[in-house]
Amino acid sequence: MVTLPRVLVAAPASGHGKTTIAVGIMAALSRRGLTVAPAKVGPDYIDPGYHALATGRPSRTLDPWLVGEGRVAPLLLRGATYPTVADIAVLEGVMGLMDGRLGTDGFASSAHVAALTRTPVVLVVDISSTSRTVAATVHGLATIDPALDVVGVVLNKAGTPRHGDEARRAVESVGVPVWGVLPRDAAMHVPSRHLGLVPAAERGEAAATLDHIAAVAEEHLDLDAFLAAAATAPALDTEPWDPTTALTLPEEFAQQASRRESPVIAVAGGRAFTFRYPETVELLEAAGAQVVELDPACDATLPDGIQGLYLGGGFPEVHARTLATNRPLVHQIRAAIADGMPTVAECAGMLYLAATLDDHPMVGALPARTAMGRRLTLGYREATSLVDSVLGPAGTRVTGHEFHRTTTAPSAGAPAAWDLDGRTEGFALDPAGTGRATLVASYLHTHWAGSPAVTAAFVEAAATWEVPQRQDPRGWRAEDPRGWSGRGSGGVAPGATRTRSASLPDEVADPLRHHGDVEVSGDLVDLAVNVRLTQPPVWLASALADELSSVAAYPDATGARDALAARHGLSREQVLPTSGGAEAFTLLARALTPRDAVVVHPQFTEPEAALRAAGHDVRRMLLRPEDGFALTSAAIERIGDADLVVIGNPTNPTGVLHPAEAIRSLVRPGRVVLVDEAFIDAVPGERESLLPGDLTGVLVVRSLTKTWAVAGIRAGYLAGDPDLVAMLAAHQPHWSVGSLALRVMIETAAPHALAEAERAADELAAWRTHLTSGLRALAIPTGGSDAPFVLAQVGDGVHTALRESGWAVRRGDTFPGLDPTWVRIAVRDPHTIDGLLRELTHLLHRRTA
């Protein structure tokens, strides 16, 4: 008998917030010092990533269909006792409480798992569109099955305290305690994509969001009641699942394993391959394999001595460009598979091994093209292998599931890998002519704890595979491992095509009008544009959708001016909304008639372009690389008697954050100082900003498009000396700022938005350190370190070489004061940056070889 306090978080249906609440409970209990064992009902990979982030332990998938009813409780206990004994287990349900495999009366549902594990149930119910009626829902779920023990309810998304109290009283009247009422809180949203939530490994801000969710859970939930209910769970009369025992290896296999060296099996990981059950690795190691992780986006070579490869699930379609640029690894994998290396590829792994993925060249080990589709394929599968393979003999039966929105042409190979109740699925190939399929690739996800025999067969196949003698010490290599140049077959998969955008010309028509968006094309990894996100946060997108109902009216900027003024502690007269930051420069050029306008360079070129377009002469004052592009006292002296000074802070593209006092020293009677603070919200604490404070003679320009991913809406503003603001406002056309942009200003000035921006700035600082450390390790000089980009002196021709290799960075020579050896690199997540550093390493190595 094993005593394990535990509780299962379920809901009436999907979308009620059970993942957010479950993760919040896990995180809050962990922050209390408890060791929490997470688990997930159903064939899910994404939610367990958040579980692991919240608890520091792998989450166990409890699915009676995938592993069998008899293994559910043992797997729960495995998670609660390995690697250490946990204080409590928190299980997250799937879909609605009673929803399971279709046609089976709830088999594999949350209720089924709760019964198998004798776990008390906590319901999470969204009350955003109801109040007292929620009591009927709760009463029905609490009484429908005598085997269920519904011990409490969490009411989610209450509109107001009064609304929450009304629902609470109704639920408690049917005899079920309410353990918390959570208000609507947009910051608790976890972003979604085409297969559900975005994996934690891909969300750089996941840790910051998790902190917020944990704090909300601590504030609004009765965690002591959760702990008390969990302690009522009866002891389980079973033993924890053990991978060695589960294998039940034949004596002959065990003897052979004891005599041979452990085969090295690589398991795909990184941000593109986040889907993998923890039992997969545990079983491989129990069968005698040495497991190493391979990141196909970043690792340039296969591990030394590799004898097998497992490519699980994930989102390679999201990272296709980064995967495609890793040409040495692509070639090595294709060559190793051609030589018969045992390889298993499930769903994402199959997409990666195909010839193309959304027209991006992939490994090319499979004669198939893959692409995103519109239809979701989802469901449990019972599969029978059609041929002898590295997973066992023909006729091997496994249970699994499919979950994807991609299509494959052809849909199956000849021969196919599996028979799914009369439908063939996947590819089973024997490229080296070994007599059995050494490559098994399909959409089928299998939980190897439910089919441990396939693990033993795969490890045995890897152990007996002989590495070809032609392999050199560095791994499989082609004559030209860098091969996708468009001048030959190179690394292009058979039957694939590779198109690259035409190289940018060495000379541009107007360097002052050249911007990073020109550098980007659909087949390049974008490190040229500094927009933080790929789409606005959910709460902002929702507000913008709401605003669409009002766009028949002309825009009124009053609310936005008030919100921005309150955000900075200014008066309404000191703030002017603009159509992006760029409009502010045009207004400046129209409103003023400077006799000596100085632009401090290198910096964003749009202010100078606007001044010149308005007929003003511009004098450039160049900051020097040898001074770190700093605003030195000597530089200030060179400004002389200018009556207009334009400077960026932090400066684009140098990334230098000038001390506020140094900029204030530029202010003097008769001079206007314009400070471009477009990227100051990417600086933790917005330190060195001139807002608020004495703004006499000062104009500050801000942009909201980068942080909030609304570049297409054009939302910016200027703030400063009220007389100057009034002068610029007089030159602004009526209604130049649209309703959507004004709504962005209002929403992003709210406290929760400012808190999110601050969390993002902290995260960005860590990512930037990762990038600058990598560049310095390659002896590449860099500029400042206080912006969402880094200026790097990579050398002549590297900008073009990176572009040809699939990476878009912003050329530096169109900024006054810089030459073609400089590029500006947008700060991205460490995973993407590792891919860029990998490519730079190759380029620099080739130059010195």
Side-chain angles (χ1 to χ4, degrees):
M1 303 289 286
V2 180
T3 299
L4 173 64
R6 58 195 182 276
V7 68
L8 188 150
V9 181
S14 297
H16 281 245
K18 62 179 175 292
T19 297
T20 302
I21 303 302
V23 170
I25 294 169
M26 295 174 190
L29 294 178
S30 296
R31 281 154 178 72
R32 285 190 174 191
L34 297 176
T35 301
V36 181
K40 170 65 182 176
V41 179
D44 196 308
Y45 294 104
I46 299 176
D47 294 352
Y50 287 91
H51 297 178
L53 191 64
T55 66
R57 296 167 72 95
S59 183
R60 301 290 164 164
T61 294
L62 309 177
D63 191 307
W65 171 257
L66 293 180
V67 302
E69 291 180 286
R71 293 189 182 95
V72 171
L75 283 170
L76 171 61
L77 291 179
R78 170 71 172 182
T81 58
Y82 180 84
T84 59
V85 176
D87 298 307
I88 184 174
V90 178
L91 292 64
E92 182 193 340
V94 62
M95 299 186 294
L97 176 62
M98 314 300 293
D99 302 329
R101 188 181 183 220
L102 294 177
T104 63
D105 296 327
F107 190 92
S109 65
S110 299
H112 187 193
V113 170
L116 290 173
T117 60
R118 305 175 68 190
T119 299
V121 174
V122 175
L123 293 175
V124 175
V125 186
D126 180 349
I127 62 170
S128 59
S129 300
T130 186
S131 58
R132 291 188 57 79
T133 305
V134 70
T137 301
V138 171
H139 178 68
L141 292 174
T143 58
I144 190 170
D145 186 348
L148 293 178
D149 182 17
V150 177
V151 294
V153 175
V154 173
L155 303 178
N156 195 22
K157 301 182 183 178
T160 64
R162 185 181 180 186
H163 173 210
D165 289 342
E166 181 82 0
R168 177 195 286 273
R169 290 195 303 272
V171 172
E172 290 178 341
S173 72
V174 300
V176 182
V178 174
W179 289 347
V181 180
L182 275 75
R184 289 193 184 100
D185 184 350
M188 288 185 69
H189 283 294
V190 177
S192 300
R193 81 156 56 116
H194 52 273
L195 294 183
L197 301 179
V198 176
E202 292 189 47
R203 285 201 68 209
E205 71 272 27
T209 301
L210 186 67
D211 288 337
H212 177 69
I213 292 174
V216 171
E218 187 73 52
E219 178 183 359
H220 294 283
L221 302 182
D222 187 350
L223 295 178
D224 291 332
F226 278 94
L227 293 171
T232 67
L236 292 171
D237 186 15
T238 188
E239 294 297 319
W241 178 84
D242 177 75
T244 303
T245 304
L247 283 169
T248 59
L249 300 175
E251 181 64 26
E252 180 182 358
F253 181 94
Q255 291 177 356
Q256 291 174 350
S258 65
R259 292 193 297 266
R260 57 171 162 74
E261 293 184 5
S262 297
V264 177
I265 294 179
V267 175
R271 289 162 62 90
F273 292 91
T274 56
F275 297 6
R276 184 175 72 237
Y277 297 118
E279 292 82 6
T280 300
V281 170
E282 293 169 1
L283 283 164
L284 287 171
E285 291 176 338
Q290 176 186 344
V291 178
V292 297
E293 185 164 300
L294 172 72
D295 186 342
C298 297
D299 294 334
T301 62
L302 287 168
D304 291 339
I306 183 175
Q307 293 176 263
L309 177 61
Y310 174 88
L311 298 160
F315 286 106
E317 63 272 21
V318 176
H319 304 282
R321 283 175 286 181
T322 303
L323 292 169
T325 62
N326 195 355
R327 294 171 288 182
L329 183 66
V330 162
H331 174 81
Q332 289 189 18
I333 290 176
R334 185 169 67 250
I337 290 175
D339 286 331
M341 182 178 70
T343 302
V344 175
E346 295 187 345
C347 199
M350 179 178 69
L351 304 181
Y352 179 56
L353 296 184
T356 58
L357 171 54
D358 284 337
D359 294 327
H360 295 289
M362 292 288 109
V363 171
L366 295 174
R369 296 173 179 272
T370 62
M372 283 297 300
R374 305 179 68 177
R375 177 175 173 269
L376 174 64
T377 299
L378 170 67
Y380 286 118
R381 304 288 184 257
E382 187 169 11
T384 304
S385 64
L386 293 171
V387 297
D388 294 344
S389 76
V390 293
L391 294 180
T396 297
R397 298 180 67 82
V398 299
T399 53
H401 71 100
E402 284 188 78
F403 188 39
H404 60 90
R405 285 190 186 273
T406 55
T407 59
T408 303
S411 59
W418 306 102
D419 174 77
L420 305 180
D421 194 23
R423 175 172 67 88
T424 57
E425 167 73 35
F427 300 80
L429 306 181
D430 180 17
T434 65
R436 65 175 175 179
T438 55
L439 169 59
V440 179
S442 74
Y443 278 121
L444 189 68
H445 290 286
T446 56
H447 195 311
W448 284 8
S451 308
V454 302
T455 309
F458 184 55
V459 173
E460 176 65 12
T464 56
W465 179 60
E466 295 184 3
V467 181
Q469 293 300 310
R470 66 178 179 80
Q471 180 190 11
D472 71 22
R474 298 166 294 176
W476 288 265
R477 299 292 294 272
E479 291 183 4
D480 178 14
R482 304 301 304 153
W484 286 331
S485 64
R487 293 181 292 273
S489 61
V492 182
T497 59
R498 181 161 182 83
T499 58
R500 278 269 177 244
S501 298
S503 298
L504 293 173
D506 292 335
E507 300 293 335
V508 295
D510 184 356
L512 295 180
R513 296 293 190 183
H514 180 87
H515 298 300
D517 58 322
V518 179
E519 309 264 4
V520 179
S521 66
D523 60 345
L524 301 177
V525 181
D526 176 15
L527 298 181
V529 175
N530 294 305
V531 176
R532 178 173 71 96
L533 304 169
T534 57
Q535 58 186 9
V538 172
W539 54 267
L540 181 54
S542 176
L544 292 172
D546 176 70
E547 186 65 29
L548 289 174
S549 64
S550 304
V551 295
Y554 285 97
D556 181 357
T558 304
R561 294 187 79 169
D562 289 342
L564 294 170
R567 181 243 196 274
H568 292 295
L570 303 173
S571 66
R572 179 191 295 176
E573 292 72 26
Q574 290 180 283
V575 179
L576 179 67
T578 59
S579 179
E583 188 192 24
F585 307 133
T586 299
L587 296 177
L588 177 84
R590 291 175 178 173
L592 302 184
T593 55
R595 56 175 174 73
D596 184 12
V598 169
V599 177
V600 180
H601 281 294
Q603 82 141 22
F604 187 48
T605 55
E606 201 62 35
E608 179 176 331
L611 287 166
R612 291 187 181 278
H616 305 301
D617 293 330
V618 175
R619 179 162 57 93
R620 295 174 177 175
M621 201 278 286
L622 302 180
L623 301 180
R624 302 184 304 177
E626 53 267 34
D627 294 330
F629 300 105
L631 186 64
T632 64
S633 57
I636 293 175
E637 289 181 7
R638 295 202 305 272
I639 291 176
D641 294 328
D643 56 348
L644 171 63
V645 178
V646 179
I647 187 169
N649 204 39
T651 304
N652 174 15
T654 66
V656 171
L657 184 66
H658 303 295
E661 287 307 309
I663 295 181
R664 289 191 184 279
S665 71
L666 300 174
V667 179
R668 61 184 59 180
R671 172 185 289 174
V672 174
V673 176
L674 183 141
V675 187
D676 179 3
E677 291 189 356
F679 295 101
I680 198 75
D681 56 358
V683 177
E686 296 192 356
R687 66 183 192 277
E688 311 303 343
S689 172
L690 267 62
L691 299 178
D694 183 4
L695 296 175
T696 304
V698 174
L699 289 170
V700 175
V701 177
R702 290 287 189 99
S703 172
L704 299 171
T705 59
K706 281 76 172 178
T707 290
W708 302 113
V710 288
I713 291 180
R714 311 307 305 142
Y717 59 97
L718 60 85
D721 187 317
D723 292 336
L724 292 174
V725 171
M727 289 177 61
L728 270 64
H731 288 266
Q732 186 178 42
H734 283 301
W735 314 298
S736 70
V737 184
S739 299
L740 293 178
L742 295 172
R743 185 65 177 267
V744 169
M745 297 173 200
I746 294 171
E747 296 294 331
T748 59
H752 74 84
L754 298 178
E756 182 173 328
E758 183 66 17
R759 292 193 297 269
D762 290 337
E763 174 187 69
L764 188 76
W767 291 2
R768 183 175 53 244
T769 298
H770 184 78
L771 171 57
T772 55
S773 297
L775 293 171
R776 288 165 186 162
L778 295 173
I780 294 176
T782 60
S785 57
D786 287 287
F789 46 80
V790 171
L791 184 67
Q793 192 170 28
V794 294
D796 206 7
V798 172
H799 171 270
T800 300
L802 283 172
R803 188 173 183 83
E804 291 175 350
S805 297
W807 297 87
V809 295
R810 171 68 158 88
R811 64 191 293 174
D813 58 338
T814 62
F815 292 102
L818 298 180
D819 60 35
T821 65
W822 293 92
V823 298
R824 190 193 68 194
I825 304 170
V827 174
R828 297 286 191 258
D829 62 272
H831 186 80
T832 302
I833 290 303
D834 284 343
L836 174 72
L837 294 173
R838 175 205 75 213
E839 197 66 38
L840 282 171
T841 301
H842 292 316
L843 292 174
L844 296 178
H845 175 74
R846 291 169 65 192
R847 289 187 163 214
T848 58

